Amino acid sequence: MAFRKFTYLESTCIPLPVENVDTDQIIPARFLNATTREGFGEKLFYDWRFLKNGTPNPDFILNNKAFSGSVLVVGTNFGCGSSREHAVWALTDYGFRVVISSFFADIFKNNALNNGLLPIVVSDDRLKVLLKGIMDNPRVYVKIDLEKQLLQVPSLEILETFEISPWKKECLLKGLDDVDYLLRLKDKIVQFEKQRAWL
Amino acid sequence: MEPKTLFEKIWDSHVVSSIDSNTDIIYIDQHYIHEVTSPQAFEGLRKRNIKVFRPKQTLATADHNIPTQNQHLPIPDEISRGQVNTLDENCKEHGITYFGMQHPNNGIVHVIGPELGYTRPGMTIVCGDSHTSTHGAFGAIAFGIGTSEVEMVFASQCIPQVRPKTMRINLNGETPKGVTAKDIIMYIIAELSSGGATGYFVEYAGQVIEKLNMEERMTICNMSIEMGARGGLIAPDSVTFEYVENATKLSGFKISPKEREYWNTLKTDPGAVFDKEIGIDATKIHPMITYGTNPGMAIPVDGVIPNPPSSKKEKESFLKSLDYMGFKPGMKLLGQKIDYVFLGSCTNGRIEDFRAFASIIKGRKKASNVTAYIVPGSKNVEEQIYSEGLDRVFNEAGFEIRQPGCSACLAMNEDKIPAGKYAVSTSNRNFEGRQGPGARTLLASPLTAAACAITGEIVNPMQFFNN
């Protein structure tokens, strides 16, 4: 379904310096039995965020009041594992609009882009600087300009462009999803089906 | 004509149109759906006031959160029952074939698709489940998608996809005795790491692969996603064709002579270029086991847990993982007491896996400290277990066979491993909490799982072959 447009964002960040964060950590399987897209934010990082007795884990970053913002900065290979889009719904429902890492799992990246969550890839070295900078000073803020594909962190002297497929960029800027686009191709698809008539 | 890889042949023949130089609109031949990742996609169709475009190319089953006991009764958990009922209603509304919990063809989506002949060579196959890579074993382009993409396929039978890079993994030499397909793929993932094939579609080749039966090939392709690959595939051959012919008999499919002809074209041309080629010496592969919390953290079952990586951040993640497992660097896993064994899942829930497990437990008794979940991948596998008399072997060894489903692989149903307990599992993921909050999973082959179930601790299954 159509999602919130993404054009420009200025925000403080939440650092999560953990590698290989899989989708089972982002949202554990036992919370996947809902039939709507809403409400998953409450379950985001559930087993890290809450202690066994259900109270907030004071050691987990989301429970640290010093940190806030709609940008999550995470270790490499973020979102590996399951195809569950619930992981992205949990992140967006919680309020994240951007995830910055040095590497995203393929399906996760697709899911993010299909829901208006912008995944930004930076180099490993840059990620280290960013994570350390934010952990040292929770007030570090980033500026993200999707039109210019520009990531700026003034206090850390970071100013660089990031990659995004031109197609997905257009979809995010306009808040458009692919279903509408595909529906307009119906004639072409029917035509195509005639070529593969043996299957 | 330019030589092409198998992947390129199938991809190119399914391009309906292109968005840009990287992104194609791909036609999907077969769409599998299940209860967990489809409800929001159906809801999307409803909001747009449209129906599923090609319901005949869509097949539905309930697998992730159905119980593995008392399947003749309604699902006790209200929320799970609601999700399964939603799938049932959606399939009725859209005219989709649905193998619900009590249907004789019910089972894990990646087990029933192949076993009923829906999965065939040269197809494009998607499902809202990362282990869709399983179907690549038939020489098909098969990959997992998210729910938004499920909705796209519902609406148009197509999805926009960035064309992945191609990789070929050549496995040469003979594997030692006792080494199974599961060990082969775990060894490859340990070599490449859990993100080592991200962005690639992998073709597995070489004499080791050619000798594998279809069940074994499915195990290999199933776990391709665990090294980040978009999917894995294996060129179809006579083994494939025979399996598919038999499978279609079960479901009544007819294969046209044209389709048969097409199958014969499905191989990588000599001289075709891959973006990356990797060689694996199969003689070096041992029975494998994981010690950490991603499938890349695996060692030979009689090996030693390695020392942490040198970089600070990697070291932290590594030690956090070992801490979760209750292990230390330099430790051996042999002799480690275990509490649970899980045989099943879309990786190892097929009849060959039950035969392998039975080959070790036959004439022996299960260790008293071990609780075992023995779960067929489908009702058809379950039936085979009984018709082949494997049930007697299992029962005499003290095991109880449960009913089909995803079960303790991801613990969406009640088959959970309790916090702190050790489970030797034939499934595909050892993530934190994967088999239940706090559960400690050690991934292994059915042979290793059987050997551990007998002894109650981590053992090398090879010792059961030398006796």
Side-chain angles (χ1 to χ4, degrees), chain B residues 23 43 48 52 72 82 84 117 143 146 181 183 185 205 216 241-242 289 295 343 357 360 364 367 411 455 463:
Chain B
T23 318
E43 192 52 36
R48 292 173 204 273
V52 171
H72 61 291
V84 171
F143 53 90
D183 303 308
I185 188 62
E216 293 169 320
F241 303 150
E242 196 182 320
I289 195 157
L343 173 64
F357 196 91
I360 284 196
R364 298 190 169 97
T455 55
Q463 76 184 58

Side-chain angles (χ1 to χ4, degrees), chain B residues 386-435:
Chain B
Y386 286 92
S387 68
E388 292 182 13
L390 294 177
D391 58 315
R392 285 199 306 278
V393 177
F394 281 93
N395 290 335
E396 280 162 17
F399 295 99
E400 176 206 353
I401 297 161
R402 299 172 86 93
Q403 290 172 300
C406 295
S407 182
C409 175
L410 83 169
M412 269 195 83
N413 68 350
E414 69 275 28
D415 299 350
K416 290 178 175 55
I417 313 300
K421 298 291 183 190
Y422 289 98
V424 174
S425 179
T426 65
S427 54
N428 38 51
R429 286 186 176 145
N430 51 344
F431 298 152
E432 280 183 31
R434 172 75 178 182
Q435 297 196 276

Side-chain angles (χ1 to χ4, degrees), chain B residues 307-367:
Chain B
N307 287 320
S310 50
S311 99
K312 188 171 167 277
K313 194 157 61 94
E314 284 176 63
K315 186 178 170 181
E316 268 174 35
S317 297
F318 182 87
L319 291 176
K320 179 176 173 286
S321 173
L322 284 196
D323 189 49
Y324 179 86
M325 292 301 293
F327 296 151
K328 295 245 179 316
M331 212 178 126
K332 270 199 163 205
L333 288 178
L334 281 183
Q336 165 70 43
K337 282 267 176 248
I338 60 156
D339 310 290
Y340 283 77
V341 164
F342 171 50
L343 173 64
S345 84
C346 60
T347 314
N348 285 122
R350 298 181 179 80
I351 189 62
E352 288 290 344
D353 302 311
F354 285 82
R355 290 175 185 151
F357 196 91
S359 73
I360 284 196
I361 63 162
K362 193 175 165 99
R364 298 190 169 97
K365 289 272 181 235
K366 170 181 92 67

Side-chain angles (χ1 to χ4, degrees), chain A residues 1-3 16-25 27-38 40 46-48 52 60 74-77 79-86 88-89 101-116 124 127-128 131-132 135 163-168 170-171 176-199, chain B residues 12-20 23 25 27-29 35-37 39-41 43-45 47-48 50 53-54 57 65 77 79-80 82-83 86 120-123 127-130 143-149 151-153 155-162 194-195 197-200 225-226 228-230 256 258-259 262-263 293-294 311 313-314 316-317 320 410-412 416 419 429 431-434 436-438:
Chain A
M1 299 306 292
F3 45 75
L16 186 62
V18 183
E19 300 185 343
N20 303 315
V21 175
D22 56 74
T23 48
D24 282 64
Q25 308 320 316
I27 182 137
R30 61 188 186 280
F31 301 124
L32 303 187
N33 44 21
T35 52
T36 66
R37 289 172 192 243
E38 288 81 41
F40 289 103
Y46 193 89
D47 291 336
W48 292 352
K52 284 196 184 81
F60 188 60
V74 284
T76 196
N77 195 26
C80 57
S82 150
S83 71
R84 65 186 70 155
E85 201 161 304
H86 312 67
V88 170
W89 300 337
S101 177
S102 57
F103 203 85
F104 291 99
D106 278 340
I107 308 181
F108 176 85
K109 196 167 160 186
N110 271 349
N111 287 342
L113 290 166
N114 285 331
N115 286 277
D124 277 318
L127 186 66
K128 262 182 213 157
L131 280 167
K132 186 173 182 306
M135 281 186 292
E163 299 278 321
I164 182 171
S165 100
W167 168 246
K168 282 296 158 189
E170 196 185 319
C171 291
L176 290 176
D177 77 1
D178 288 336
V179 176
D180 292 321
Y181 178 85
L182 289 166
L183 287 172
R184 291 203 296 273
L185 285 182
K186 274 282 167 68
D187 290 347
K188 222 171 176 175
I189 296 167
V190 171
Q191 215 36 51
F192 176 87
E193 287 178 322
K194 289 177 187 154
Q195 299 168 26
R196 53 168 287 287
W198 67 85
L199 275 182
Chain B
D12 292 348
S13 65
H14 286 79
V15 173
V16 174
S17 95
S18 297
I19 292 178
D20 55 44
T23 318
I25 305 289
Y27 189 84
I28 301 303
D29 296 315
E35 77 277 17
V36 181
T37 55
Q40 294 87 354
E43 192 52 36
L45 294 188
K47 284 185 182 153
R48 292 173 204 273
I50 54 173
F53 180 55
R54 293 290 180 249
Q57 287 162 248
N65 57 22
D77 182 81
I79 301 172
S80 290
Q83 201 177 46
T86 302
R120 303 198 295 282
M123 282 183 151
C127 174
D129 188 293
S130 59
F143 53 90
I145 56 175
T147 299
S148 295
E149 293 170 312
E151 187 180 338
M152 294 173 206
V153 180
S156 67
Q157 206 58 32
C158 291
I159 36 171
Q161 281 294 296
V162 173
S194 66
T198 301
Y200 288 91
I225 186 72
E226 307 309 338
R230 203 73 182 84
S256 72
K258 258 187 151 174
E259 186 173 354
Y262 171 56
W263 292 359
T293 56
N294 74 58
S311 99
K313 194 157 61 94
E314 284 176 63
E316 268 174 35
S317 297
K320 179 176 173 286
L410 83 169
M412 269 195 83
K416 290 178 175 55
R429 286 186 176 145
F431 298 152
E432 280 183 31
R434 172 75 178 182

Side-chain angles (χ1 to χ4, degrees), chain B residues 262-285:
Chain B
Y262 171 56
W263 292 359
N264 290 324
T265 67
L266 297 169
K267 47 176 81 70
T268 292
D269 295 327
V273 180
F274 290 83
D275 293 304
K276 200 171 190 175
E277 290 227 37
I278 285 173
I280 300 276
D281 177 359
T283 60
K284 296 209 171 117
I285 306 178

